[in-house]
Amino acid sequence: MFFHNTTLLLLVVLGVIATFIGFGLRDRNVGLVLLGVGFLAIVYAVITKAIALFG
């Protein structure tokens, strides 16, 4: 799905890594911030890909 666009692939990978780190640190504020940033990065990449595919 993201393999032909390096920027989106990098964004998804970094978002997943930030989400996993944030999930591990969810008892602290830094973990919640990383969880949110990772989730937003993944959502942004998926929405951008959907716009490029269907728009």
Side-chain angles (χ1 to χ4, degrees), residues 14-51:
L14 290 177
V16 168
I17 290 170
T19 302
F20 282 146
I21 291 172
F23 188 72
L25 299 173
R26 66 179 177 251
D27 294 338
R28 297 172 183 86
N29 288 335
V30 177
L32 290 177
V33 169
L34 280 175
L35 196 63
V37 168
F39 177 72
L40 289 177
I42 293 170
V43 168
Y44 174 75
V46 168
I47 289 173
T48 303
K49 183 63 179 178
I51 289 172

Side-chain angles (χ1 to χ4, degrees), residues 2-23:
F2 299 105
F3 296 119
H4 68 280
N5 193 340
T6 308
T7 306
L8 283 180
L9 180 62
L10 181 67
L11 190 63
V12 168
V13 168
L14 290 177
V16 168
I17 290 170
T19 302
F20 282 146
I21 291 172
F23 188 72

